[in-house]
Amino acid sequence: DAGVTQSPTHLIKTRGQHVTLRCSPISGHKSVSWYQQVLGQGPQFIFQYYEKEERGRGNFPDRFSARQFPNYSSELNVNALLLGDSALYLCASSPTGQGISNQPQHFGDGTRLSIL
Amino acid sequence: EDKVVQSPLSLVVHEGDTVTLNCSYEVTNFRSLLWYKQEKKAPTFLFMLTSSGIEKKSGRLSSILDKKELFSILNITATQTGDSAIYLCVRGGSNYKLTFGKGTLLTVNP
């Protein structure tokens, strides 16, 4: 069975541009969450979506937005990119709408975003 | 602010050694304590702990939670080079929030 897949694997953008990152969850998983991992740090929670609704949001500015589609895949959008947005963006899925603190998350390999 | 503090931040051992990784956390809205292993990119799940004093084991790895003293440890016995990775401690807070520690970088030399 395929795991969580993310695209693209690498991306280079310049300051001020916007970016869309994509995530397909494990088949049968209905919840998707997004994380930002800056080099040398642990991941930071950005969003959780379940059944197309936002269930939780971390401490990120409004430049960050996301959505979930009827097939449970998800997109993370970041506008007005800053140098500090350079990071590995991880997507994770889980089977149910239970909070992400109550069930293990299955992570994808991430998208490495570099801002020049 | 929720905090998860891991120690040591890095550790170098020889194959066969036993290691103990530490994690302390803040208590506010605590739901669970999770451990993940991150080798190259995707973190992989190891353990989820919700009850104090109950050890969870998986092969050479084990973990336990102390909710009174607000810490958890991850033990790895008879380490192998394949155990080299970053080990992430994660605090589950209110239902929709996870707080990660910075991780412990474990290097196991042959």
Side-chain angles (χ1 to χ4, degrees):
Chain A
D1 281 346
V4 176
T5 58
Q6 293 187 241
S7 64
T9 54
H10 295 87
L11 199 52
I12 299 175
K13 291 284 189 178
T14 56
R15 282 178 295 175
Q17 287 188 310
H18 71 272
V19 68
T20 298
L21 310 181
R22 294 179 174 83
C23 172
S24 293
I26 291 171
S27 178
H29 284 195
K30 299 182 178 180
S31 174
V32 168
S33 52
W34 287 94
Y35 305 83
Q36 180 196 66
Q37 188 173 23
V38 173
L39 198 61
Q41 303 289 322
Q44 277 197 285
F45 169 68
I46 309 175
F47 288 111
Q48 184 198 10
Y49 274 77
Y50 175 71
E51 293 285 7
K52 297 178 287 179
E53 289 191 5
E54 181 183 305
R55 288 295 185 93
R57 183 182 184 120
N59 294 327
F60 280 81
D62 292 344
R63 300 185 295 109
F64 289 77
S65 63
R67 55 180 176 166
Q68 186 177 33
F69 299 99
N71 67 353
Y72 304 112
S73 67
S74 178
E75 285 182 353
L76 176 70
N77 295 286
V78 188
N79 293 325
L81 288 165
L82 304 173
L83 293 177
D85 295 331
S86 295
L88 178 68
Y89 287 84
L90 294 163
C91 172
S93 74
S94 53
T96 73
Q98 280 187 37
I100 54 177
S101 57
N102 295 328
Q103 56 184 329
Q105 302 295 302
H106 301 263
F107 285 85
D109 280 341
T111 294
R112 174 71 63 187
L113 175 63
S114 299
I115 310 301
L116 303 180
Chain B
E1 184 178 317
D2 303 329
K3 275 191 178 177
V4 175
V5 179
Q6 292 188 245
S7 65
L9 291 182
S10 66
L11 189 56
V12 180
V13 300
H14 291 288
E15 266 192 320
D17 288 351
T18 293
V19 298
T20 298
L21 310 184
N22 303 293
C23 175
S24 64
Y25 63 91
E26 294 187 349
V27 71
T28 311
N29 294 321
F30 175 83
R31 296 273 199 265
S32 63
L33 195 293
L34 303 101
W35 287 94
Y36 285 84
K37 177 183 182 182
Q38 187 174 26
E39 292 182 76
K40 296 234 172 119
K41 292 182 180 177
T44 53
F45 171 75
L46 295 174
F47 298 110
M48 184 168 78
L49 306 156
T50 55
S51 299
S52 211
I54 299 175
E55 185 182 50
K56 292 212 171 180
K57 290 196 72 164
S58 176
R60 295 176 294 103
L61 278 67
S62 64
S63 184
I64 197 162
L65 176 67
D66 185 327
K67 291 170 77 172
K68 183 178 176 185
E69 300 297 331
L70 307 181
F71 77 88
S72 174
I73 59 172
L74 175 69
N75 280 317
I76 308 175
T77 59
T79 52
Q80 302 170 356
T81 54
D83 295 328
S84 295
I86 296 172
Y87 289 84
L88 295 166
C89 176
V90 190
R91 174 189 166 282
S94 57
N95 266 349
Y96 304 104
K97 186 171 183 183
L98 292 179
T99 304
F100 286 76
K102 289 186 177 181
T104 293
L105 174 61
L106 175 63
T107 303
V108 182
N109 290 325

